[in-house]
Amino acid sequence: LAKTTQPISMDSYEGQEVNITCSHNNIATNDYITWYQQFPSQGPRFIIQGYKTKVTNEVASLFIPADRKSSTLSLPRVSLSDTAVYYCLVVPNRDDKIIFGKGTRLHILP
Amino acid sequence: GAGVSQSPSNKVTEKGKDVELRCDPISGHTALYWYRQSLGQGLEFLIYFQGNSAPDKSGLPSDRFSAERTGGSVSTLTIQRTQQEDSAVYLCASSLSPRSSGQGASFSYNEQFFGPGTRLTVL
C-alpha cells in the first residue's frame, strides 16, 4: 500500500483558497487518489477522487501532476464550516483495505 | 435513506469489563470496516468484512479484540477485559463492496460511508 505524507495542520482565513498537498511517491500504476473530510465528532466522508490531471466537483478540486507522486486538494473560498481534518488516501484498484493516515487539520479563522 | 448507525453512542466501562459495540451498515453494502480513532489522531484500521467473512484481521491490536458479522449485515466488535488504552472512538463504515472496479474513465470507487462512532471510555 502506498504511503501518503501531508501537513499535520494548516490555518487559513474565510474567503481564501486553500490548497493541501499530499505526497505519495510509491503510488502504483492502478492506484487512485482519494480525499476524505472529517468534521469534529463525526465520521469521515468522501469528497473527491482522481487518477490524473484535474477533477472538480461541487466541494473541491483535485490536481494530480503527470508523475502522480503528489496531489493537491483545492478548496475555493473557504468558510468557517470547512474547519475539519482532510485525509489523503491512495486506493488500490484491487480487493484491499485502504489506510487512513493522520490527515491535515485545517483551521479556518474569521 | 438510512445511513450507517452505531450503538451505543457512548460507553463508559470499568477496566477489566467486556464491551460490545454494534454497527448497522447501509442496506445492501457487502463490505464493512471497523476503525479506531484516539483523541486527535488519525483512523486506525481494525478489521474488514466481505459478507460474513473477515479476509483481513491484521489491525486487531490484541486477542482481546474480536468481531463478527451475521447475515451479511449487523456487525459486533467485542473487547474483552478492557484496558484504559482501549479508550477511543470506534468507527464503523460500509461500502457496496471492498473492490473498486474499472480503470481510467470507467473507474468506480466504492466509497466508505461512516457511522457516527461509539465513544468508549475505560475508567
Side-chain angles (χ1 to χ4, degrees):
Chain A
L1 294 174
K3 180 181 176 182
T4 60
T5 303
Q6 55 184 123
I8 294 173
S9 66
M10 293 178 65
D11 290 341
S12 187
Y13 292 92
E14 279 192 295
Q16 299 293 307
E17 177 183 82
V18 172
N19 295 310
I20 306 174
T21 297
C22 177
S23 298
H24 25 79
N25 289 319
N26 60 339
I27 189 169
T29 301
N30 292 328
D31 289 346
Y32 284 74
I33 298 127
T34 305
W35 287 77
Y36 277 76
Q37 174 190 54
Q38 185 178 24
F39 295 116
S41 302
Q42 295 185 24
R45 69 165 186 145
F46 169 86
I47 50 174
I48 198 167
Q49 65 97 16
Y51 183 80
K52 61 181 179 180
T53 65
K54 177 184 175 182
V55 179
T56 298
N57 63 21
E58 65 278 7
V59 177
S61 294
L62 179 60
F63 299 91
I64 304 167
D67 67 5
R68 305 198 330 118
K69 293 185 182 298
S70 67
S71 59
T72 299
L73 177 73
S74 182
L75 305 171
R77 297 181 299 280
V78 293
S79 64
L80 296 176
S81 62
D82 292 314
T83 293
V85 178
Y86 292 82
Y87 297 95
C88 166
L89 312 171
V90 171
V91 177
N93 188 13
R94 61 182 183 274
D95 190 358
D96 206 343
K97 64 178 183 282
I98 60 174
I99 302 294
F100 284 78
K102 294 188 177 181
T104 296
R105 191 171 297 275
L106 176 64
H107 187 204
I108 305 303
L109 304 167
Chain B
V4 177
S5 61
Q6 293 186 244
S7 60
S9 56
N10 281 284
K11 177 70 177 179
V12 180
T13 190
E14 294 179 347
K15 178 181 174 181
K17 301 284 189 182
D18 297 351
V19 295
E20 281 190 356
L21 311 179
R22 176 187 169 107
C23 172
D24 281 89
I26 293 172
S27 178
H29 281 193
T30 62
L32 186 146
Y33 304 77
W34 283 99
Y35 296 88
R36 177 169 74 173
Q37 187 171 36
S38 300
L39 187 63
Q41 300 299 306
L43 277 70
E44 176 188 1
F45 168 82
L46 298 178
I47 187 171
Y48 101 83
F49 289 89
Q50 169 61 6
N52 292 334
S53 64
D56 191 338
K57 304 180 182 178
S58 62
L60 294 177
S62 75
D63 59 8
R64 295 187 295 105
F65 287 72
S66 63
E68 65 175 13
R69 188 179 185 195
T70 55
S73 182
V74 173
S75 176
T76 303
L77 178 69
T78 301
I79 309 173
Q80 296 179 309
R81 305 180 302 282
T82 53
Q83 303 294 312
Q84 289 182 331
E85 61 263 28
D86 299 333
S87 295
V89 175
Y90 288 80
L91 290 159
C92 173
S94 70
S95 68
L96 281 173
S97 81
R99 188 185 302 276
S100 52
S101 60
Q103 292 186 24
S106 65
F107 179 77
S108 173
Y109 165 62
N110 293 318
E111 66 180 274
Q112 295 183 23
F113 293 84
F114 283 80
T118 293
R119 182 174 299 278
L120 174 66
T121 303
V122 182
L123 301 176

